[in-house]
């Protein structure tokens, strides 16, 4: 565990000590090495359960894929931010990378914590760097409002969680994930128990975000700089899914009925946010709403509590993390050239950036879950497990896949196809950096096709 | 392992490798040579075809079928997903047919697309499309089939939208994907049902385990899937729109490979389908409706490709009828024969379109028989084969289907519609020949007419041979799985031919009327119905997107997200706290009155407490 965490912490002094000339290349290669080492977690020797145990941290099949994703994302964020921070003074660039690194430190500790309260603290701690990224490094004045929304939605959801966790500690005497699942199941019957149940899950449902509590997400995504959008879509939302899966074990008898309205709400959100995507004019907002839509499916998959549901949710989380992050990067390549997120102002880009179109195409296909990409495996498993619960869900999930295909291809056609508008007189050619960035996003996704059990979680 | 099955497996894997090789090498960073399309892609397909004859011969000789399971892809608890390839009668016969047709189309495309700067990429797309189709055909489990299924869908998106600068091409491409996605919901539904009820996506296990279940719902899902992919009534408008793509694309995607995927799915699933009468009746009625409706639409179209496209749709309806008759093998036979003459019809129309400087309107053609004798002869052969002229390819399948329909006790309504559609086939085929080949030229005098190019002549010639003899070859070599009815009254036996001839004579009579001074008041509403495609796109393409987009904008975005959720969430927090804040704030504004009254209040309170 410390093999990853200590180097990540030591990345901070490195950032400040390295000569300005080598700042980006050093941090990039350093973080990439960390992420490559983190891949060893995927090969866990233990048949099932925990491995790489230390007093406070451990990995298990559920957290490993998310940890690897977290580590994988730091070099990508560094790669993506290089261009738009270039005009800044060098000390600010260092601060920025430090911020990103601190986020990774918190995230690693959150995902690998074996103590729920430590997970909670780290869960909250990630808010700070993210808030700074959004409100300090965003571009428009609306970023302040976005930051407020982000902070208060998440906090309002997670404070009840703290109370609920303290109650749990009082009742069971432990909050260790290693033993918690073996504690005798509680007799939960009163109305207060139901409130406790809601308190346990609310924080994560807001973080996911569940439809209805999602307002902060599009705002945060739109206003955040590229690295913020990437990490938000790829990892921070997954904290919600991860936390829910962890808490689900303890909530067993109550969840059966109480989760029904939430499942329906999540699925209804898939349709509604998908429809919103169909009418978006703002590229980043479209991708953000598509995240809400996909995470709705994840939420439903987790709440249904079957092994296929969990597996599908985890697969979809990883796949969606890579896909949406890739889409945000693509949106950013447009943004850096046209300085606008409005789709109608940057059309027909296949003419000028042909190789980028290939990346756009693959990313759009991944977003609409083309077989055999892991996105499809995840969606199919979730749809199947929901279908097993109730046949009517197929109307919502099926409609969701239809709408997803619609807006993904709408986005692709709108940005890449058609004639080039006359106002685009000169665009920078694409950089190798950008192609590398896209390749590093999409190659893992494609490679995961051949070995999906890496991101299967407990079912493997 | 037995020698035969080793040979079959090896040759089939070689086919896959041969086809995949050009795709893989094209990823090398060096730019491809300009003749890559011909030297690599076409050659690969050609050799793949020759190699695919070997398993075909082995199958014909020994009846050998094989299944290769190479790798367990995923395994959750008891649920396995394997990579396994199925080489049975259907895939072994379909593969050479598809490869043969594709070989010809690729050669033709090298002429048709020679001015396109991205010809290599075009060929690569066609090749990936073919690989996806063969994946679909040889799949032995639902997941693999789904890969091929979506693969052809997405490749058709790319190929239909090949001329991506044009808005029409882009909308047609999007339309194809969206209609197919509607069908995919059915497939996903069926897959979810199969996974939860039968716990296996492997075909044999599915067939064995499904004996005790009521299969109506999953079968309806599969039929919905086939409706989307094979452009059956309700989800059909994408097929004629897809003619926005280059003609070789239309020839490959929309005649012989992709659109038959839906029918092929039902043929594959026929062991599940054959005992379910509800599903069979749905297929029968849906197919009959499709075949008549699209044949009606074909009657008055003026775009040559649209007519051919609608005739494809009509033939697909006929195949669906055959599925409904519980004769999957006949439907498969019709897929194979149809592939030859329909691909040829498209290539002929492509050749003519190219010769007339990209003119697609048949009213601006005419007299082509004198100018492009070979192409227009082949157009005629293809049309004859399509109408089921005896002993051409179409006859063997179409006639057999209609005989089977005539001798069945199923549904007189479906029978009537199908027969009507059969006679319409003669009408629209005659119309194409009448306007294109016969009469006098009505086109621009400076058209670059030249069909004397081996890359035009050879593919069409090969397909013409196929259209003439393929039916005979296939029917005389495969053993029917079901005993056909051999004896029937003369009227039933000749029904198909009779209605075709009646259609032909009526059409000739109508055509000759155009030369006469006979001026009735025309009744335009039937014409409008046919010409406007039954007003179907007008209604569905406006209403459904409009509803969804209004839902997205007005309800989901404006009413819910931007108004209500804001109002009850963040804004409510602010408005609820504001009175409290303003009150406390106002108190502390330095107003001496407030301070004095507060002081007086607390003082009197304290006094009261002290006293009592």
């Amino acid at each position: 565990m410390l093999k990853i965490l200590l180097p990540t912490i030591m990345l901070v002094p490195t950032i400040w000590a390295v000569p300005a000339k080598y700042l980006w290349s050093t941090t990039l290669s350093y973080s990439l090495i960390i992420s490559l080492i983190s891949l060893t977690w995927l090969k866990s020797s233990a048949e099932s359960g925990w491995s790489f145990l230390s007093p406070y941290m451990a990995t298990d099949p559920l957290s490993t894929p998310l940890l690897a994703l977290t580590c994988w994302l730091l070099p990508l964020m560094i790669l993506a931010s290089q261009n738009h921070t270039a005009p800044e003074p060098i000390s600010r660039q260092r601060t920025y990378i430090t911020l990103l690194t601190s986020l990774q430190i918190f995230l690693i500790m959150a995902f690998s914590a074996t103590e729920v309260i430590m997970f909670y603290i780290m869960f909250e701690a990630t808010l700070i760097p993210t808030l700074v990224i959004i409100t300090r490094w965003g571009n428009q004045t609306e970023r302040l409002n976005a930051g407020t929304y982000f902070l208060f939605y998440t906090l309002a959801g997670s404070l009840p969680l703290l109370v609920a966790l303290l109650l749990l500690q009082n009742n069971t005497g432990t909050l260790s994930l290693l033993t918690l699942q073996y504690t005798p199941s509680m007799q939960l019957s009163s109305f207060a128990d139901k409130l406790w149940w809601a308190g346990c899950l609310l924080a994560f449902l807001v973080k996911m975000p569940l439809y209805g509590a999602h307002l902060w997400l599009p705002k945060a995504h739109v206003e955040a700089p590229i690295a913020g959008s990437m990490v938000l879509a790829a990892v921070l939302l997954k904290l919600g899914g991860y936390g829910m899966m962890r808490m689900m074990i303890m909530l067993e008898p109550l969840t059966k009925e109480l989760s029904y309205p939430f499942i329906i709400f999540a699925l209804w959100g898939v349709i509604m946010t998908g429809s919103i995507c169909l009418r978006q004019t703002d590229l980043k907002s479209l991708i953000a709403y598509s995240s809400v839509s996909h995470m709705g499916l994840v939420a439903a998959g987790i709440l249904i509590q079957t092994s296929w549901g969990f597996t599908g949710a985890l697969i979809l989380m990883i796949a969606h993390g890579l896909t949406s992050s890739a889409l945000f990067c693509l949106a950013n390549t447009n943004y850096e050239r046209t300085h606008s997120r409005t789709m109608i102002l940057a059309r027909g880009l296949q003419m000028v950036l042909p190789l980028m179109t290939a990346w756009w195409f693959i990313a759009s296909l991944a977003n609409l879950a083309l077989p055999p990409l892991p996105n499809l495996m995840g969606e199919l498993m979730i749809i199947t497990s929901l279908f097993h619960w109730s046949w009517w869900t197929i109307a919502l999930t099926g409609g969701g896949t239809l709408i997803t295909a619609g807006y993904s291809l709408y986005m692709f056609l709108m940005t890449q196809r058609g004639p080039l508008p006359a106002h685009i007189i000169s665009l920078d050619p694409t950089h190798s950096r950008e192609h590398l960035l896209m390749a590093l996003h999409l190659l893992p996704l494609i490679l995961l096709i051949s070995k999906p059990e890496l991101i299967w979680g407990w079912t493997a | 392992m037995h020698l035969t099955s080793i040979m079959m497996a090896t040759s089939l894997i070689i086919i896959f490798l041969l086809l995949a090789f050009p795709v893989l090498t094209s990823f090398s960073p060096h730019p491809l040579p300009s003749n890559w399309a011909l030297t690599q892609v076409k050659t690969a397909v050609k050799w793949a075809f020759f190699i695919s004859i070997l398993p075909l011969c082995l199958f014909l000789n020994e009846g050998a079928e094989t299944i290769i399971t190479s790798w367990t892809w995923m395994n959750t608890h008891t649920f396995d997903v394997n990579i396994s390839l199925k080489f049975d009668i259907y895939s072994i016969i379909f593969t050479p047919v598809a490869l043969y047709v594709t070989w010809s189309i690729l050669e033709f495309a090298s002429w048709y697309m020679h001015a396109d700067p991205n010809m290599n990429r075009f060929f690569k797309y066609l090749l990936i499309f073919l690989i996806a189709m063969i994946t679909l055909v040889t799949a032995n489990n639902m997941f693999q089939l789904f890969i091929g299924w979506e693969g052809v869908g997405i490749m058709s998106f790319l190929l239909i939208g090949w001329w991506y600068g044009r808005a029409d091409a882009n909308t047609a491409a999007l339309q194809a994907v969206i209609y197919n996605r509607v069908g995919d919901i059915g497939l996903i539904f069926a897959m979810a049902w199969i996974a939860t009820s039968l716990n296996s996506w492997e075909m044999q296990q599915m067939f064995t385990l499904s004996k005790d279940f009521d299969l109506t719902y999953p079968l309806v899902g599969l039929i919905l899937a086939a409706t989307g992919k094979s452009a059956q009534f309700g989800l059909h408008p994408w097929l004629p729109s897809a003619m926005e793509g280059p003609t070789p694309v239309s020839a490959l995607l929309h005649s012989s490979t992709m659109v038959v995927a839906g029918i092929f799915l039902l043929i594959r699933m026929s062991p599940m389908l054959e005992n379910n009468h509800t599903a069979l009746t749905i297929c029968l009625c849906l197919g009959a409706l499709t075949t008549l409706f699209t044949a009606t639409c074909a009657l008055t179209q003026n775009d040559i490709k649209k007519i051919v496209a609608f005739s494809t749709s009509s033939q697909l309806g006929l195949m669906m009828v055959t599925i409904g008759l519980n004769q999957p093998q006949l439907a498969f036979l019709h897929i194979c024969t149809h592939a030859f003459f329909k691909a040829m019809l498209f290539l002929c129309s492509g050749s003519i379109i190219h010769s007339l400087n990209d003119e697609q309107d048949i009213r601006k053609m005419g007299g082509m028989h004198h100018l492009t004798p070979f192409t227009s002869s082949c157009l005629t052969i293809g049309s004859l084969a399509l109408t089921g002229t005896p002993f051409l390819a179409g006859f063997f399948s179409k006639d057999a289907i209609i005989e089977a329909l005539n001798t069945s006790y199923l549904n007189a309504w479906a029978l009537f519609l199908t027969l009507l559609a059969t006679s319409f086939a003669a009408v629209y085929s005659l119309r194409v020949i009448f306007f294109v080949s016969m009469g006098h030229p009505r086109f621009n005098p400076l058209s670059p007419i030249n069909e004397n190019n081996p890359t035009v002549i050879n593919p069409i010639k090969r397909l013409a041979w196929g259209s003439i003899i393929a039916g005979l070859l296939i029917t005389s070599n495969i053993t029917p799985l079901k005993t056909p009815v051999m004896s029937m009254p003369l009227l039933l036996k000749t029904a198909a031919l009779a209605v075709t001839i009646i259609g032909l004579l009526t059409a000739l009579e109508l055509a000759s009327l155009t030369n006469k001074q006979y001026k009735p008041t025309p009744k335009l509403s039937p014409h409008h119905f046919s010409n406007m495609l039954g007003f179907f796109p007008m209604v569905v393409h406006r209403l459904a997107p409009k509803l969804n987009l209004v839902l997205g904008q007005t309800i989901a975005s404006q009413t819910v997200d931007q108004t209500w959720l804001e109002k009850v969430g963040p804004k409510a927090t602010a408005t609820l706290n504001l009175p409290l804040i303003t009150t406390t704030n106002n108190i502390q504004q330095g107003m001496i009155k407030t301070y004095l009254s507060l002081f007086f209040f607390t003082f009197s309170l304290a006094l009261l407490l002290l006293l009592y």
Side-chain angles (χ1 to χ4, degrees), chain A residues 89-118:
Chain A
I90 188 71
S91 58
R92 286 201 198 149
Q93 294 184 17
R94 291 186 206 267
T95 322
Y96 190 61
I97 305 177
T98 314
L99 259 179
L100 300 181
T101 314
S102 69
L103 196 53
Q104 167 159 330
I105 298 170
F106 292 140
L107 280 170
I108 291 178
M109 295 212 272
F111 281 129
S112 59
T114 53
E115 193 79 13
V116 183
I117 208 79
M118 177 167 156

Side-chain angles (χ1 to χ4, degrees), chain B residues 127-241:
Chain B
L127 188 62
I128 298 175
F129 175 80
L130 178 71
I131 294 173
M133 187 65 199
I134 293 183
T135 312
L136 189 153
V137 172
T138 53
N140 192 33
N141 66 50
M142 293 301 283
F143 193 73
Q144 221 174 320
L145 187 133
F146 197 36
I147 295 171
W149 183 268
E150 288 289 295
V152 288
I154 283 304
M155 290 322 289
S156 74
F157 171 81
L158 282 177
L159 285 166
I160 296 167
W162 176 253
W163 287 310
Y164 55 81
R166 295 173 51 203
D168 280 353
N170 287 333
T171 29
L174 189 60
Q175 198 178 326
V177 172
I178 288 178
Y179 272 111
N180 276 308
R181 268 275 156 163
V182 177
D184 290 348
I185 297 176
L187 189 60
I188 291 175
F189 169 76
M191 284 172 76
W193 188 92
I194 290 167
T196 49
S197 303
L198 308 179
N199 198 33
S200 173
W201 279 340
E202 297 288 316
M203 300 232 176
Q204 286 80 12
Q205 298 176 21
M206 274 160 52
F207 299 154
T208 322
L209 294 171
S210 64
K211 295 282 183 248
D212 309 329
F213 286 90
D214 177 22
L215 291 168
T216 311
Y217 291 106
L219 287 176
V220 168
L222 290 174
I223 292 169
L224 178 64
T227 307
K229 207 57 137 194
S230 291
Q232 299 295 310
F233 183 79
L235 302 177
H236 62 283
W238 70 269
L239 189 105
S241 305

Side-chain angles (χ1 to χ4, degrees), chain A residues 149 214 289 417-418 449 456, chain B residues 73 75 154 164 549 561 566:
Chain A
Y149 269 58
H214 67 282
Y289 268 111
R417 296 289 170 90
I449 294 170
W456 260 0
Chain B
W73 193 345
N75 174 299
I154 283 304
Y164 55 81
L549 292 178
D561 263 35
E566 286 271 356

Side-chain angles (χ1 to χ4, degrees), chain A residues 156-219:
Chain A
S158 60
L159 285 178
L161 176 64
L162 179 62
V163 180
L165 287 180
L166 294 177
L167 265 173
L168 184 66
Q169 162 81 30
N170 267 354
N171 286 346
T172 57
T174 174
L175 279 179
S176 167
L177 285 172
L178 303 177
T179 55
L180 208 51
Q181 51 184 319
Y182 302 112
T183 51
S185 65
M186 291 163 280
Q187 296 303 311
L188 301 169
S189 49
S190 68
F191 182 70
D193 289 330
K194 290 184 177 126
L195 279 183
W196 175 77
W197 180 89
C200 281
L201 289 186
L202 206 61
F204 305 121
L205 286 172
V206 172
K207 192 84 182 179
M208 285 280 274
L210 185 73
Y211 180 68
H214 67 282
L215 282 193
W216 62 273
L217 185 77
K219 284 186 200 294

Side-chain angles (χ1 to χ4, degrees), chain A residues 149 153 211-215 218-219 268 271-273 275-276 278-280 289 307-308 311 348 350-351 354 361 365 368-373 376-377 379-381 383-385 387-388 391 394 398-399 401-406 409-410 412-413 416-419 448-453 456 458-460, chain B residues 71-77 79 121 125 143 146-151 154-155 157-158 161-162 164-167 170-171 173-174 177-179 181-182 184-185 188-197 199 201 217-218 546 548-557 560-562 565-567 569-571:
Chain A
Y149 269 58
Y153 263 95
Y211 180 68
H214 67 282
L215 282 193
K219 284 186 200 294
W268 179 238
I271 301 273
M272 291 298 259
T273 47
S275 304
I276 293 177
L278 286 172
R279 289 301 286 262
Q280 281 299 322
Y289 268 111
S307 70
W308 268 44
T311 305
Q350 181 163 15
M351 303 278 184
F361 188 60
L365 291 189
L368 67 82
L370 185 86
L373 289 169
L376 175 96
M377 298 178 190
E379 285 193 15
L380 204 56
M381 283 178 141
I383 290 174
T384 306
S385 54
F387 175 79
H388 192 59
W391 278 31
I394 196 82
T401 56
L402 177 65
I403 292 174
T404 310
L409 290 176
Y410 158 70
F412 174 74
L413 290 175
Q416 306 301 309
R417 296 289 170 90
L448 278 174
I449 294 170
S450 55
K451 200 168 170 60
E453 57 257 48
W456 260 0
W458 290 313
T459 318
Chain B
W71 178 40
T72 304
W73 193 345
M74 302 171 228
N75 174 299
T76 55
H77 300 305
F79 195 88
R121 192 195 296 164
Y125 286 177
F143 193 73
F146 197 36
I147 295 171
W149 183 268
E150 288 289 295
I154 283 304
M155 290 322 289
F157 171 81
L158 282 177
W162 176 253
Y164 55 81
R166 295 173 51 203
N170 287 333
T171 29
L174 189 60
V177 172
I178 288 178
Y179 272 111
R181 268 275 156 163
V182 177
D184 290 348
I185 297 176
I188 291 175
F189 169 76
M191 284 172 76
W193 188 92
I194 290 167
T196 49
S197 303
N199 198 33
W201 279 340
Y217 291 106
K546 171 137 200 195
N548 194 357
L549 292 178
V550 165
L551 169 80
Q553 178 82 354
T554 330
I555 299 178
S557 182
V560 177
D561 263 35
Q562 288 169 8
L565 289 181
E566 286 271 356
K567 190 100 181 150
K571 294 263 164 64

Side-chain angles (χ1 to χ4, degrees), chain B residues 183-454:
Chain B
D184 290 348
I185 297 176
L187 189 60
I188 291 175
F189 169 76
M191 284 172 76
W193 188 92
I194 290 167
T196 49
S197 303
L198 308 179
N199 198 33
S200 173
W201 279 340
E202 297 288 316
M203 300 232 176
Q204 286 80 12
Q205 298 176 21
M206 274 160 52
F207 299 154
T208 322
L209 294 171
S210 64
K211 295 282 183 248
D212 309 329
F213 286 90
D214 177 22
L215 291 168
T216 311
Y217 291 106
L219 287 176
V220 168
L222 290 174
I223 292 169
L224 178 64
T227 307
K229 207 57 137 194
S230 291
Q232 299 295 310
F233 183 79
L235 302 177
H236 62 283
W238 70 269
L239 189 105
S241 305
M243 295 300 127
E244 285 297 330
T247 306
V249 174
S250 317
L252 184 60
L253 277 73
H254 302 286
S255 66
S256 53
T257 43
M258 172 174 167
V259 291
V260 299
I263 303 291
F264 193 87
L265 174 75
L266 293 182
I267 295 174
R268 265 272 179 268
M269 296 298 148
S270 54
M272 286 162 76
L273 202 64
E274 63 192 1
N275 295 321
N276 192 303
H277 290 286
T278 321
L280 287 178
T281 313
I282 293 174
C283 285
L284 189 72
C285 295
L286 183 67
L289 191 61
T290 311
T291 185
L292 180 67
F293 181 81
T294 45
T296 314
C297 291
L299 288 179
T300 55
Q301 296 305 309
N302 291 319
D303 185 328
I304 184 168
K305 281 173 77 180
K306 282 251 164 89
I307 303 177
V308 184
F310 273 115
S311 84
T312 306
S313 213
S314 179
Q315 297 306 308
L316 289 168
L318 187 64
M319 293 174 202
M320 191 61 125
V321 167
T322 323
I323 302 273
L325 288 175
N326 202 4
Q327 298 275 7
Q329 206 187 12
L330 269 184
F332 178 72
L333 187 63
H334 198 53
I335 287 180
C336 294
T337 55
H338 176 254
F340 289 101
F341 57 75
K342 193 47 63 68
M344 185 174 70
L345 281 176
F346 269 115
L347 294 196
C348 290
S349 51
S351 159
I352 290 167
I353 290 167
H354 213 55
S355 293
L356 298 181
N357 227 350
D358 297 337
E359 182 54 65
Q360 303 200 0
D361 194 329
I362 54 170
R363 290 169 298 185
K364 298 184 187 169
M365 295 176 181
M368 292 305 283
H369 190 62
H370 301 290
L371 298 161
T372 56
F374 181 79
T375 308
S376 43
S377 308
C378 286
L379 189 68
T380 315
I381 294 176
S383 298
L384 287 175
L386 174 72
T387 49
T389 312
F391 313 119
L392 292 181
F395 171 74
F396 289 94
S397 49
K398 204 170 173 180
D399 207 52
I401 291 170
I402 295 196
E403 274 174 19
L405 186 62
N406 280 342
T407 50
S408 72
Y409 298 97
L410 285 172
N411 195 326
W413 181 78
L415 170 67
F416 174 71
L417 293 193
T418 316
L419 282 179
L420 201 56
T422 315
S423 68
F424 280 1
V427 180
Y428 60 69
S429 299
L430 176 79
R431 189 161 171 270
V432 171
I433 294 165
F434 185 83
F435 273 95
V436 176
S437 305
M438 294 158 67
H440 301 287
R442 294 180 296 277
F443 46 81
N444 196 327
L446 291 176
S447 295
I449 299 173
N450 183 11
E451 60 165 7
N452 294 313
N453 190 324

